[in-house]
Amino acid sequence: MPYVVTRSCCADASCVLACPVNCIHPAPGEPGFGQTEMLYVDPRTCVDCGACTTACPVDALKPHTGLAEAELPFLELNRAYYEAHPHEDRAPMAIVPPQRRTSAREVRVAVVGAGPAGLFAADELLRYPGVTVTVHDRLPTPYGLARAGVAPDHQDTKQVARLFRAVESQPGFSYRLNTEIGRDLHHEDLLRDHHAVIYAVGAAGDRRLGIDGEDLPGSASATDFVAWYNGHPDHSATPYALDGERAVVIGNGNVALDVARILTADPDALSRTDISDRALAALRTSSVREVVVLGRRGPAEAAFTLPELIALAALDGVDVLVEGWPADVPADATPKTRVLAELAARTPVPGRRRIVLRFRTRPVRILGEDRVTGLAVESTDEVESTDEIETIEASLVLRAIGYRARPVPGLPFDEATGTVPHERGRVRPGAYVAGWIKRGPSGFIGTNKSCAQETVSVLLDDLEAGLLTTPASGGPVSGHPEAVGLDGWRAIDDAERAAGRGQGRPRVKIVDREELLAAAVRRRPQRVGRRSSS
């Protein structure tokens, strides 16, 4: 088996298009694309050419001879996929899709949100001659969760930023960062300058537990905690209670595993990443020795992906344990339960930090008077339930039960789903959505690519049907004095990377908004308008 996908990949399908023998699946247009945990290389037909490794933006593909011991389970994972999904059709995919052209000489589109969904939408739009795109974001920096959500010990995943740098370098692209729609500019302002607006604002909020004690100091959202250790300017100064020996994470998705890893990681290893300096200093003095990860459902239904579980099981210097393996779950039922069964059989090493995965457990209330002292839980196991309430002592409780979008000014909002109602991305002619605000917090970084393609296709349909209003202004001129353009972002990026080189790190993040704005104008002229094609 020459090449292997070795982690939860970005799934943007660059490798699929690069493969000359069509051996990477599921491909765009096939069942499962955008929903599977990763893409898979067929060992029967891979010709060992290496084209996929060149195309992969996050270095997820490796030759089988280059796998580390911890990556060996991915050999079986790739092979097993093709036992269930043969993909007998081996016709090579077209490298260059048919080019759609617009009849308009100039099309201006505003994109609100500079995360993966917004930048994939911009990339898709800029494939068409005559289209210019201005990407807005309320932060002075772009890339959304790719910058502020991906864990710092997953630097390979953060390499997707190379894709985004290529997008923002295209003629016709411009940024208007540090600009909040609804405060600095409004939807009407955007339509005055553009033919259409695509909202790709993501899901910045989180879901709540709805139990007593949830607002005590020491109880917090994992969403905010992730933003804290990633240096998000809105959360970088937030204090967290790391003075106790145990923390509890409620929820068992990938974010929960990220949080557990960071809380138990060796600070010296984290010091070689782009983690916030403030978070690193706090983690160096942390007393946390154990993180309990609680899930309401059983092991087979756990929300974390198999690649993330395999990576967790391979942690060096940290015990990863499963507490109370249920008797009714066959150890070989699925690849996920096989890994969990192996963890359940492990013997802890005295003195190590540990991550304990616990299933079929429901939080009842968070305990404490002035701050969190513990969590009351009960079993959800219908077979062994005793209706007894158990107390888990802890000084920190983090809920990781899902992201949730917030209403967008001027657009309808479905409170039940946390999304903007739409038809294939169209809210109404001139207003569109992409990403999590469109489909909910699901999928991977690359899922936003096919999502954006659908939205852009509908937008262009409306343009050709004459449903879009011609902008009143001659170009994108609306703005405010503190808007940050592409040159400003490049200055911030340069400053962070330069500081990182001095410490042997990818970058040292600037985490204060005022410092970010100062860095944006320190070394480059400010340019907010349309990027020249020259």
Side-chain angles (χ1 to χ4, degrees):
M1 182 176 186
Y3 279 85
V4 186
V5 178
T6 60
R7 65 179 68 93
S8 291
C9 57
C10 71
D12 84 324
S14 297
C15 59
V16 176
L17 295 177
C19 177
V21 293
N22 193 17
C23 74
I24 304 176
H25 296 274
E30 294 177 344
F33 180 74
Q35 283 78 50
T36 55
E37 296 178 346
M38 54 191 281
L39 302 183
Y40 304 87
V41 178
D42 189 343
R44 300 171 302 164
T45 54
C46 177
V47 295
D48 197 17
C49 70
C52 56
T53 61
T54 304
C56 179
V58 295
D59 292 341
L61 285 139
K62 293 184 178 181
H64 77 287
T65 53
L67 296 180
E69 183 176 355
E71 295 169 327
L72 291 177
F74 288 100
L75 277 168
E76 171 62 19
L77 196 59
N78 278 255
R79 185 196 63 78
Y81 172 81
Y82 287 94
E83 283 191 352
H85 310 279
H87 290 288
E88 298 297 346
D89 179 11
R90 291 294 161 198
M93 294 189 69
I95 300 299
V96 181
Q99 178 67 58
R100 172 175 177 170
R101 303 186 69 87
T102 67
S103 58
R105 287 196 310 165
E106 182 182 30
V107 182
R108 299 197 299 271
V109 180
V111 174
V112 181
L119 290 172
F120 277 127
D123 186 38
E124 188 65 23
L125 286 161
L126 291 170
R127 297 175 188 274
Y128 303 103
V131 177
T132 59
V133 180
T134 305
V135 177
H136 303 70
D137 200 283
R138 69 180 189 86
L139 294 180
T141 56
Y143 305 170
L145 288 180
R147 175 180 168 95
V150 176
D153 60 345
H154 279 6
Q155 288 298 309
D156 43 15
T157 304
K158 292 195 175 193
Q159 291 185 55
V160 73
R162 294 182 298 187
L163 279 179
F164 302 149
R165 283 194 288 272
V167 173
E168 65 193 17
S169 298
Q170 296 181 62
F173 182 97
S174 63
Y175 273 134
R176 190 173 286 142
L177 305 173
N178 196 43
T179 301
E180 185 170 345
I181 306 305
R183 184 193 66 183
D184 303 312
L185 291 175
H186 299 275
H187 180 72
E188 295 74 16
D189 300 320
L190 298 178
L191 281 183
R192 192 163 48 245
D193 294 344
H194 305 85
H195 292 80
V197 184
I198 297 177
Y199 288 90
V201 294
D206 67 282
R207 300 182 183 278
R208 290 180 60 85
L209 295 165
I211 61 176
D212 290 341
E214 192 168 7
D215 295 319
L216 280 171
S219 168
S221 158
T223 302
D224 293 346
F225 188 76
V226 168
W228 169 72
Y229 63 61
N230 270 312
H232 190 296
D234 291 349
H235 302 278
S236 63
T238 304
Y240 286 95
L242 303 179
D243 54 344
E245 291 194 355
R246 181 182 292 118
V248 176
V249 181
I250 300 172
N252 57 13
N254 285 349
V255 171
L257 297 193
D258 284 348
V259 168
R261 282 199 327 277
I262 297 302
L263 281 170
T264 55
D266 178 0
D268 287 340
L270 291 177
S271 71
R272 298 188 288 273
T273 74
D274 64 347
I275 190 172
S276 158
D277 280 352
R278 291 176 183 171
L280 181 61
L283 290 167
R284 284 193 182 281
T285 61
S286 170
S287 299
V288 175
R289 305 293 301 173
E290 177 179 282
V291 179
V292 179
V293 180
L294 298 182
R296 293 172 181 256
R297 297 179 294 177
E301 296 79 35
F304 49 70
T305 61
L306 181 57
E308 288 298 323
L309 177 62
I310 291 173
L312 189 78
L315 287 178
D316 186 28
V318 177
D319 281 334
V320 181
L321 310 170
V322 174
E323 184 177 292
W325 180 259
D328 63 335
V329 178
D332 59 350
T334 66
K336 185 179 290 185
T337 55
R338 282 199 293 271
V339 176
L340 288 169
E342 292 171 4
L343 293 175
R346 285 186 178 181
T347 301
V349 178
R352 276 188 177 180
R353 293 183 179 183
R354 64 173 61 179
I355 296 171
V356 179
L357 305 180
R358 179 169 171 175
F359 301 96
R360 297 178 179 174
T361 303
R362 176 191 298 117
V364 176
R365 60 183 174 275
I366 298 174
L367 306 174
E369 303 243 350
D370 300 322
R371 57 168 292 178
V372 170
T373 59
L375 178 69
V377 301
E378 65 181 3
S379 173
T380 63
D381 191 326
E382 296 179 358
V383 177
E384 301 182 7
S385 177
T386 61
D387 294 328
E388 291 184 0
I389 302 298
E390 176 189 352
T391 296
I392 302 175
E393 293 184 1
S395 60
L396 178 65
V397 174
L398 298 171
R399 61 183 183 274
I401 55 175
Y403 289 87
R404 179 175 172 81
R406 295 168 179 154
V408 178
L411 298 186
F413 190 73
D414 186 331
E415 289 288 349
T417 62
T419 60
V420 170
H422 65 91
E423 182 181 355
R424 299 178 60 232
R426 179 197 296 111
V427 182
R428 55 180 178 265
Y432 306 84
V433 286
W436 283 1
I437 193 65
K438 171 185 174 183
R439 66 180 192 276
S442 63
F444 307 95
I445 290 175
T447 310
N448 294 295
K449 187 171 185 176
S450 54
C451 176
Q453 287 171 342
E454 178 185 61
T455 296
V456 169
S457 178
V458 170
L459 184 157
L460 295 177
D461 287 344
D462 289 351
L463 174 69
E464 294 302 305
L467 300 178
L468 303 185
T469 304
T470 301
S473 69
V477 294
S478 297
H480 69 109
E482 292 190 329
V484 173
L486 176 59
D487 289 325
W489 157 237
R490 292 274 172 85
I492 294 170
D493 189 39
D494 288 349
E496 291 183 340
R497 288 173 178 274
R501 283 193 294 273
Q503 299 181 28
R505 301 169 63 183
R507 68 175 64 237
V508 175
K509 284 182 177 175
I510 302 171
V511 300
D512 291 310
R513 186 181 289 265
E514 293 307 313
E515 292 183 21
L516 285 165
L517 296 179
V521 298
R522 190 171 298 148
R523 294 194 299 163
R524 289 180 181 265
Q526 188 65 24
R527 187 170 57 184
V528 178
R530 184 167 54 196
R531 182 174 172 82
S532 170
S533 60
S534 61

